[in-house]
Amino acid sequence: MEDKTPDHYEESLQHGMQGGTTSSSTSQTSPSKSALFKARVIGGVCLAAVLAMAVPMMLPEDNGNAVASVEPAPAPEPAPVAEVQPAPEPTGPQMTKIDTKVKPGDTLMSILTNAGAERSQAHAAIKALSTEFSPRQIKPGQELTITLMEDPDTGANTLEELGLTIDPVRTVVVASKDEGFEADILDKPIEKHLVRAEGSIDSSLYVAAVDAHVPPQILGKMINVFSFDVDFQREIQPGDKFALMFEEMRTDEGDTVDQGEVLMAEMVLSGDTKRYYRFKDQNGFYDYYNAQGQSARKALLKTPVDGARISSRFGKRKHPILGYTKKHTGVDFAAPRGTPIYAAGDGIVDFAGRNGGYGNYVRIRHNGTYKTAYAHMKAFAKGIRKGKRVRQRQIIGYVGTTGRSTGPHLHFEVLKNNAKVNPLSVKLPTGKKLTGKMLAKFEKARANIDAQYAALPGNTRLADASQASHEEEKKTTAQ
């Protein structure tokens, strides 16, 4: 249907009116206000009709009787924004640290290459290590730390560092440098601690010492202190006691790595107290002295073999080979073949060689009065020959069974003015005696040692020094 505006209707109306009768000239040239109003009304009605017909065609169909309502179109949802991931950082070399232990059959080369090190680098590191420690000396159980650097692109390993524990205190470290590898020794700091130990002897000194947690090294030093005037095979009885204060070396972690010196040693044998203190004299030499400043060192040792038992004493006996009664001119100490034999005192060797029934035989002249002899040796120590000067407790030979002997033992003799005397009962000359200012210095050191011992934890207390001095004086007077 054609849409006509009111202006069009007004033109048609004017055209129609020009063809009819008019009442005046004015009406022929312009329509009256009444006619114009009517034309506008008719135009508005037509426009309303047109709109009424157009609106239903624009609305959606409604099958029901309800009046359709125009719903606003939903707002479009915003498009999802993609999450931006940061670019991955480039991966650098990866460091790996490997802790391992040497196993039987291992070599440093096999350990390093098995860990992933290249053979050429392993060889260079071992060469550097050998400047501080021989690779041939590695033993099963030693600890190693291997540090490798892996290239993330190629996967190749570069050996950066090798650490080998030599002992509880020392570690050799081989580090990569610009020019190759360099080795260095790292030492753990150690501190000296004082330890107190004491015990009662029920079966043997060794068992009592083990029960008191005395290290074998310290027990050996204690035996040496008393070896000048104690026969450990004959004089030790059940109920006897001992007491010690000694040094122990420990790391910062508290691990014991070594033992130091015995500072005080005491033995109570059948009620008789013997106590000695370690002291340095005016010449810078350390020795052990009793409470009166008398050196424990005698001219001769009573027992020149450690851990031996007396198998035959001095005097008449039936000879085990000859079969008849014959005077035994020494003391026999039974010990395993190869046990070291010590010089009983300082002196000069005046015989070393084969001597009939004595077998391999050494005789030492200590002074113008005393000599000692050692028979049935398996072999002589290196350098022992006639005219050789020896020191007390120096190894001169080894227990054997040469000559007229039924088993491995040492036949030990003491000669006084060339006469053979009983080594167990001979009165031996004493050693040095401190006097004057040196004695006063020793007494101060002795008091300090006693105070240190008393401050250490323990179940029993060391006997008072004055008591030991009194007992020592009584013994000296009796002799």
Side-chain angles (χ1 to χ4, degrees), residues 91-242:
T91 304
Q94 300 296 313
M95 179 178 289
T96 303
K97 185 171 287 188
I98 302 171
D99 294 320
T100 185
K101 289 185 179 182
V102 179
K103 300 179 181 62
D106 279 349
T107 64
L108 278 178
M109 178 61 76
S110 66
I111 294 173
L112 290 173
T113 54
N114 289 338
E118 294 183 358
R119 192 172 187 85
S120 60
Q121 288 191 325
H123 177 76
I126 294 171
K127 184 177 180 180
L129 180 139
S130 63
T131 61
E132 299 290 348
F133 178 78
S134 173
R136 296 182 178 181
Q137 295 181 0
I138 64 169
K139 299 177 182 178
Q142 281 185 274
E143 297 178 350
L144 294 99
T145 300
I146 303 168
T147 303
L148 299 171
M149 193 75 73
E150 182 184 358
D151 188 325
D153 297 327
T154 65
N157 287 320
T158 301
L159 180 60
E160 292 292 320
E161 188 174 278
L162 167 66
L164 173 63
T165 302
I166 300 175
D167 53 43
V169 175
R170 298 179 302 153
T171 299
V172 58
V173 177
V174 180
S176 175
K177 303 293 183 181
D178 293 338
E179 62 280 4
F181 288 91
E182 185 176 309
D184 194 15
I185 294 288
L186 301 182
D187 292 326
K188 286 185 179 180
I190 58 174
E191 294 183 353
K192 188 181 295 183
H193 294 259
L194 295 180
V195 180
R196 167 178 170 168
E198 54 216 352
S200 179
I201 302 171
D202 295 326
S203 57
S204 71
L205 174 61
Y206 176 80
V207 172
V210 170
D211 291 343
H213 306 289
V214 176
Q217 180 181 343
I218 295 298
L219 177 60
K221 290 184 177 183
M222 187 190 80
I223 290 174
N224 289 341
V225 172
F226 291 102
S227 62
F228 298 97
D229 55 2
V230 174
D231 179 356
F232 286 94
Q233 297 299 322
R234 187 181 67 172
E235 296 184 35
I236 302 295
Q237 304 293 330
D240 290 343
K241 298 179 181 179
F242 74 90

Side-chain angles (χ1 to χ4, degrees), residues 11 27 65 80 99 114 136 201 245 292 298 326-327 360 364 383 412 430 453:
E11 292 178 358
S27 59
N65 295 323
D99 294 320
N114 289 338
R136 296 182 178 181
I201 302 171
M245 184 171 75
Q292 292 75 40
K298 306 296 189 296
K326 185 176 184 293
K327 184 178 181 180
N360 292 330
I364 300 173
F412 177 58
T430 59
Y453 181 87

Side-chain angles (χ1 to χ4, degrees), residues 342-355:
Y342 305 116
D346 296 350
I348 297 175
V349 176
D350 70 358
F351 187 97
R354 195 79 179 187
N355 187 11

